[in-house]
Amino acid sequence: MKREESLFGNIDWTLFIVFAVMVLIGIANVYSAAYNPKAPFLFDFSQKYGKQIMWVGFSTFLGLLVFLIDASIYRKFAIPIYLFCLVLLVIVLFMPPVNGARAWLGIGSMGIQPAEFAKIGTAIALASYISSINVKQQTVNTVIVANIILFIPVVLILLQPDAGTFVVFTSFLFVMYREGITYDPIVLHLVNLIPGVRFKKTWVGSHFIPILFVVIFLSIITLLMSNNTITFSFLPGIIIPGFFGVIGTLFVMSISSYFILRFFVAKRDRRRITMIVILGFVLSSLISSVVNFGFQGLRKHQKDRIELFLGLREDPDGEDYNRNRAMAAVGSGGFFGKGYSNASVASVESNHVPESETDFIFCPWAEEWGFVGSLTLTLLFMFMLFRIIQIAERQKATFNRVYAYCVAMILFYHYAVNIGMNIGFAPVIGIPLPFFSYGGSSMMSFSVMIYILLKLDSQRGDFLG
Amino acid sequence: MNNDSRRYVIIVFFLLVGAIYTVRLFYMQVIDESWTLRAQQIAEKRKQITPPRGVIFDRSGRKIVANKTYFNLMMVEAKIKNFDTIAFAKLIGWTPEKVKSRFWEIKLGEGKYKNPATGKTTSNYQKIRAYPFVKEIELDEMLNMAPYLKNFPGFYEEITSMRSYPFANGANILGYLSEVNGDEIKKDHFYSPGDNIGRAGLERFYEEELRGIKGIHYIVTSALNNAIEAYAGGKYDTMARQGPPLKLGVDITLQAYGEKLMKNKRGCIVAIEPKTGEILAMVSAPSFDPNLFVGKKSIAKNYPKLLQDPKMPLYPRPLSAEYPPGSTFKLIQGLVALQEGVITPGTGFPCKKSMVGCHNHPNAGSLAEAVQYSCNPYFYHIVRRVIQQGKRKKQTEDAEIGLRKWVKYMHSFGFGEKLETDIIGIRSGLIPDVKYYDKWYGHHNWAFSTIRSNSIGQGEVKATPLQLANLACILANRGWYYTPHFVKSIGKKGPLAIYRKKKYTMVNHRHYESVVEGMRRVVNEKGGTGSGARIKDIVVCGKTGTVQNPHGEDHSVFIAFAPMYKPKIAIAVFIENAGFGGTWAAPVSNLMMEKYLLKKITDKEKEEKMLKANLD
């Protein structure tokens, strides 16, 4: 067949190139962050940059394997793969704890983190399940089964405990939302218990997931900003309360998202989009206001508790140590940055930002390349995410589409939470920045995730179901 | 909304987060500068530059406290390569074990920091920082070492300074330096570990002047510890400034001569310039060489030795030793009696030994004669008249009123109170007051007869040698004094304000002449008790004292000033357990005054005798 001759012929080169560029930039960044003057050689395998290259090599090898194996294997063996991941998650609970969590399988630096690979397993299982049912007739049962697929690895991960990966697993809820598996049946069930009420569909139940996340996201940002004031060095004397900053930003967002959406949306939908944007702005402003004034109205000790949880406390040498230093590293980058290998706060050697080669890898990048670098990184991620969505939407097989959405959401979560930690928008939960953070497990799992997607996409022609 | 269009919800989500993050990053990185400052705060390194301490000159501009350079051998662990422990140990003259243990001492001594967020513990010790490996290396030792240091990368010498004393005298005045302790660092942020602080004497009293101002340079460093830039453009940098030099009133040759005279004796000499209150010399015998207390090593070696010496060389006798003033105290009693109008200069009393013993001498027909003969009964009589003025019928009530007034007089002469001299260790002596005797005997249970010993400087009264020297000053000035002080000028600013204020006693200056005349007779007339203090062509006024004490032989005391008119020096000499005042203290005063006034000694025989005397 034709397919045999062009093993790499149907690959989506756009996605692959973005992926490759990010991996290469990632290596350069680790080399700068973890540079050891005693071992300047890039391929020195005793150093973190040498090891990172080794992991990339490993990942490429795994990628080749993925390409040699027919894509149908994932659907066929979805359940064994999923179970294998679960078994690993169970075994890891009996390993000695490292830094307070039983997350590592293996010895010392050569260990792997099963939780990273469980993401792929869960994505495949979820894709397999959703492709096997008719979502148009979703029932309480289908919702529950889909949630159980999610629930088991989540519980095992929480036992480690690994709060970061737990948060990432909630990304699957969005995939389920996209595929129409919502909590609507459950909500309907409950609502219809009320005598005289007979709904076929509730708006809240259908859009429960995004609404919930918008509320959480907005609340956190509002809380983080509510005690701040915004000043401008070029506009002395002007002090804007943080809350108005949030509202202002929302307004700018709405306007710009409207214009961006005009390009994506068919003409007949434009009115609807306008309505949605206006409604979205009004509602989010409302949520933000409620949270802000509600928070201001709280008693002192209640406020304290929330502030402690969010790491809002002005305690740069205590609770808020890591984030304060990470923010200082990012914030001191300026427009063009301090230059390659000139990070003064974020370098591993100076030890000012703990974990600056893994979870806080964005620090050296943002410090050395400034806003230009931050913007480039954001654009790369956005481009990759949109490309994956595009790929997802062109799949004929439900399995492929669901899997692609899983990849997009996982990557998005990692990006959002990881960068959020660095800019004070998220509590410090340790999750890596895909393709940038040093570490074998994350490098391999993200790469394999992309390779499987590329493979599935390259075979989208021999569609079956 | 069908499932396919739900993709827009997700796209909007992505865009929303991407856009918000971009705005936030732009604000943090480009607009808001506070993070830049915070980053510099985190990454800055303070480079402290400690200036050498202010130097000290004597009254004629001779440097008596100087700074000597010495070296610290610094270590930067990150730069150490191919380290040969045995060769290094040989170079610095240690054993290899000591080199190793010193390394761990530095490393562990820095303590640890526990990051509360990650729970990880990191050491404060940093491989890229410099730590002093060997401290206080002398120049010649360093010269031997320096050529070989290049074989030991990571080690280098750093120049710093330490005190040195060109004259081996005045240790009791100058004090010494030693390393600050933890409490001091906590109390005063000026200090950091390894800094020196004044421990006694002038070094301690003038610590804030002498230490100067530290220079602090803030540098932001990159990962490789290369300086990138000055923190905040050098806005917060300060230049190091050496403390101002102190100019003392002390004459170092006189001080040295005094210490020589007092060899093998215990006691003290305090000499003051009456016109200014500047202390010319303050000998505390036995004395020691201030160079013994330079540097950590020698302090550790010498301090315990001197501390345990039974002769107590570290005890600041002129300031802290409270002796009964003996007969020198009679001078003030005469003055007070005149001021109170209970006698006139011509009042005489027969020397009846019924009340108190006295030596054989003609009856004193005047106050001057009484001083000349140091007649004990005379002073009993006049002090009784001061205390018992007959204002109340009852003796005891009358004595209470009298003593109250008398105590005030004594205070005005600087007795019973701490003089505010610029040194550490001053004590107040004792002038017993009404409260004191009430406690001792009960209210209205005492009268003059109970406390009469005070009138001849025995009994309860106590005074320090410094107070007696000050008394000599008051007599020389006929009624006033400047608080005795060492520092004539801090830099170019002159002395502290309190030393520019003239203090007057409660006795009018016209009453002084007859007492001073008495003092002249003590030295210069036949029958005077202090003829040993006579100087040819210069009229010396003095008063002997022979102080009974429970520690054995009487203390030999002499106070004097000279010349009689326009006096240039006032002096008090105490020699413990030496006997009669005229025999020892008077000649020593004489030699000191000659040395100061004439710059030579006329009576070599006397000098020889005093130098040889061993009264220990």
Side-chain angles (χ1 to χ4, degrees), chain A residues 99 174 177-180 182 206-207 210 213-214 217 230-233 253 260-261 264 316-318 321-322 324-325 327-328 330-332 334-335 342-345 347 349 351-352 354-355 362 366 370-371 374-375 378 382 385-386 393 405 409 412 415-416 419-420 423 425, chain B residues 1-33 35-40 42-45 77-78 80 113-118 120 122-123 126-128 220-224 228-229:
Chain A
N99 286 341
F174 276 92
Y177 166 75
R178 159 67 185 85
E179 293 305 322
T182 65
S206 312
H207 301 282
F213 278 78
V214 165
F217 186 73
I230 300 170
T231 51
F232 301 94
S233 54
M253 299 287 104
I260 293 165
L261 283 172
F264 288 91
D317 294 317
Y321 179 86
N322 290 10
N324 182 280
R325 285 174 176 231
M327 285 173 77
V330 172
S332 67
F335 194 84
N342 263 340
S344 58
V345 180
S347 75
E349 180 89 358
N351 203 17
H352 293 310
E355 310 288 338
F362 183 63
F371 178 69
S374 315
L375 186 66
T378 300
M382 285 300 140
L385 292 172
F386 287 133
E393 292 296 340
Y405 264 105
M409 284 316 299
F412 170 69
Y415 165 81
I419 305 296
I423 57 176
F425 274 6
Chain B
M1 192 188 247
N2 64 25
N3 291 346
D4 276 348
S5 49
R6 283 186 180 177
R7 77 175 104 154
Y8 297 118
V9 175
I10 289 170
I11 287 173
V12 167
F13 237 135
F14 290 181
L15 282 175
L16 202 68
V17 169
I20 289 176
Y21 279 17
T22 305
V23 171
R24 171 70 174 172
L25 281 163
F26 187 77
Y27 176 73
M28 269 179 75
Q29 295 190 293
V30 182
I31 298 173
D32 188 4
E33 286 188 347
W35 290 113
T36 310
L37 282 175
R38 173 75 184 130
Q40 291 181 337
I42 292 167
E44 53 100 334
K45 298 226 160 67
E77 194 193 342
I80 295 177
Y113 171 75
K114 187 166 191 253
N115 183 341
T118 60
K120 277 188 190 169
T122 46
S123 173
Q126 285 189 20
K127 286 184 179 183
I128 50 174
V220 179
T221 55
S222 77
L224 307 180
I228 296 181
E229 57 186 348

Side-chain angles (χ1 to χ4, degrees), chain B residues 331-384:
Chain B
L331 300 170
I332 327 176
Q333 308 315 316
L335 291 168
V336 173
L338 286 172
Q339 178 71 27
E340 281 293 296
V342 295
I343 58 164
T344 64
T347 307
F349 285 102
C351 181
K352 278 194 215 147
K353 299 186 181 89
S354 57
M355 248 165 66
V356 61
C358 200
H359 49 100
N360 289 322
H361 62 79
N363 280 340
S366 68
L367 177 57
E369 278 180 21
V371 171
Q372 182 187 349
Y373 302 137
S374 194
C375 177
N376 288 344
Y378 187 95
F379 288 95
Y380 273 115
H381 282 297
I382 68 167
V383 175
R384 172 190 277 148

Side-chain angles (χ1 to χ4, degrees), chain B residues 150-199:
Chain B
K150 65 177 192 302
N151 300 337
F152 302 98
F155 288 89
Y156 65 93
E157 74 271 27
E158 194 182 74
I159 194 162
T160 140
S161 75
M162 195 153 72
R163 281 305 204 198
S164 84
Y165 305 91
F167 297 87
N169 308 102
N172 60 313
I173 300 170
L174 303 171
Y176 64 99
L177 302 178
S178 76
E179 211 172 301
V180 284
N181 59 38
D183 286 345
E184 283 157 341
I185 295 169
K186 232 180 263 166
K187 225 186 278 165
D188 189 341
H189 294 302
F190 178 88
Y191 302 103
S192 37
D195 281 353
N196 281 330
I197 188 169
R199 276 282 172 242

Side-chain angles (χ1 to χ4, degrees), chain A residues 198-362:
Chain A
R198 273 281 163 269
F199 280 120
K200 275 190 179 157
K201 212 174 168 193
T202 61
W203 196 81
V204 174
S206 312
H207 301 282
F208 180 70
I209 298 298
I211 292 168
L212 179 70
F213 278 78
V214 165
V215 170
I216 291 175
F217 186 73
L218 267 176
S219 311
I220 289 180
I221 289 189
T222 309
L223 284 177
L224 288 172
M225 301 304 287
S226 71
N227 283 347
N228 290 6
T229 50
I230 300 170
T231 51
F232 301 94
S233 54
F234 52 87
L235 290 172
I238 294 184
I239 298 165
I240 305 173
F243 169 65
F244 291 110
V246 175
I247 300 289
T249 313
L250 280 176
F251 184 71
V252 176
M253 299 287 104
S254 310
I255 299 279
S256 37
S257 60
Y258 170 71
F259 283 106
I260 293 165
L261 283 172
R262 273 171 67 106
F263 290 101
F264 288 91
V265 177
K267 225 171 185 178
R268 60 186 162 87
D269 286 337
R270 277 197 194 152
R271 264 181 84 100
R272 262 210 350 225
I273 288 300
T274 316
M275 287 307 293
I276 288 171
V277 167
I278 291 172
L279 204 69
F281 172 70
V282 171
L283 280 176
S284 40
S285 301
L286 211 65
I287 293 164
S288 188
S289 314
V290 168
V291 170
N292 181 56
F293 296 112
F295 178 69
Q296 300 294 356
L298 283 179
R299 296 234 178 105
K300 174 106 186 13
H301 69 272
Q302 292 167 318
K303 255 174 146 177
D304 284 355
R305 223 171 268 175
I306 291 172
E307 285 179 345
L308 263 181
F309 170 73
L310 291 172
L312 264 178
R313 272 304 175 74
E314 280 290 319
D315 186 14
D317 294 317
E319 292 270 339
D320 204 18
Y321 179 86
N322 290 10
R323 198 170 60 170
N324 182 280
R325 285 174 176 231
M327 285 173 77
V330 172
S332 67
F335 194 84
F336 291 109
K338 295 178 184 169
Y340 187 63
S341 81
N342 263 340
S344 58
V345 180
S347 75
V348 171
E349 180 89 358
S350 69
N351 203 17
H352 293 310
V353 183
E355 310 288 338
S356 69
E357 76 282 18
T358 57
D359 295 345
F360 283 104
I361 191 71
F362 183 63

Side-chain angles (χ1 to χ4, degrees), chain B residues 169-427:
Chain B
N169 308 102
N172 60 313
I173 300 170
L174 303 171
Y176 64 99
L177 302 178
S178 76
E179 211 172 301
V180 284
N181 59 38
D183 286 345
E184 283 157 341
I185 295 169
K186 232 180 263 166
K187 225 186 278 165
D188 189 341
H189 294 302
F190 178 88
Y191 302 103
S192 37
D195 281 353
N196 281 330
I197 188 169
R199 276 282 172 242
L202 297 179
E203 293 276 20
R204 174 146 160 223
F205 193 90
Y206 288 100
E207 171 67 18
E208 278 179 33
E209 283 82 11
L210 288 170
R211 70 189 186 185
I213 297 164
K214 269 189 187 175
I216 298 172
H217 291 210
Y218 296 91
I219 301 160
V220 179
T221 55
S222 77
L224 307 180
N225 206 27
N226 299 320
I228 296 181
E229 57 186 348
Y231 171 59
K235 196 161 62 176
Y236 303 109
D237 290 5
T238 51
M239 296 297 289
R241 241 185 297 151
Q242 184 178 14
L246 298 186
K247 183 157 191 187
L248 305 191
V250 170
D251 182 329
I252 194 67
T253 47
L254 186 65
Q255 175 77 22
Y257 186 64
E259 288 181 19
K260 200 167 122 192
L261 284 175
M262 292 298 281
K263 269 229 171 87
N264 301 322
K265 300 164 192 77
R266 268 171 292 119
C268 29
I269 303 173
V270 181
I272 304 176
E273 183 181 58
K275 197 171 65 182
T276 57
E278 291 161 10
I279 296 169
L280 298 168
M282 182 183 276
V283 178
S284 180
S287 53
F288 60 95
D289 183 348
N291 288 302
L292 292 180
F293 282 1
V294 174
K296 219 174 166 178
K297 280 183 268 180
S298 41
I299 291 176
K301 198 176 100 193
N302 296 312
Y303 187 80
K305 244 194 257 171
L306 290 175
L307 193 67
Q308 282 157 15
D309 189 329
K311 290 177 212 157
M312 302 202 292
L314 293 180
Y315 184 56
R317 287 186 163 78
L319 314 168
S320 300
E322 295 169 319
Y323 305 100
S327 300
T328 56
F329 207 52
K330 291 172 183 164
L331 300 170
I332 327 176
Q333 308 315 316
L335 291 168
V336 173
L338 286 172
Q339 178 71 27
E340 281 293 296
V342 295
I343 58 164
T344 64
T347 307
F349 285 102
C351 181
K352 278 194 215 147
K353 299 186 181 89
S354 57
M355 248 165 66
V356 61
C358 200
H359 49 100
N360 289 322
H361 62 79
N363 280 340
S366 68
L367 177 57
E369 278 180 21
V371 171
Q372 182 187 349
Y373 302 137
S374 194
C375 177
N376 288 344
Y378 187 95
F379 288 95
Y380 273 115
H381 282 297
I382 68 167
V383 175
R384 172 190 277 148
R385 285 196 183 177
V386 171
I387 302 283
Q388 307 281 14
Q389 292 197 13
K391 290 192 173 151
R392 288 275 191 288
K393 264 190 191 151
K394 239 179 130 187
Q395 283 266 315
T396 53
E397 285 175 32
D398 196 33
E400 185 183 324
I401 295 169
L403 186 70
R404 265 210 184 104
K405 196 182 278 173
W406 181 81
V407 166
K408 271 188 202 152
Y409 274 110
M410 296 304 117
H411 285 329
S412 82
F413 281 84
F415 288 97
E417 284 179 338
K418 275 188 187 175
L419 287 168
E420 289 171 296
T421 300
D422 45 0
I423 198 159
I424 309 296
I426 300 253
R427 292 179 72 168

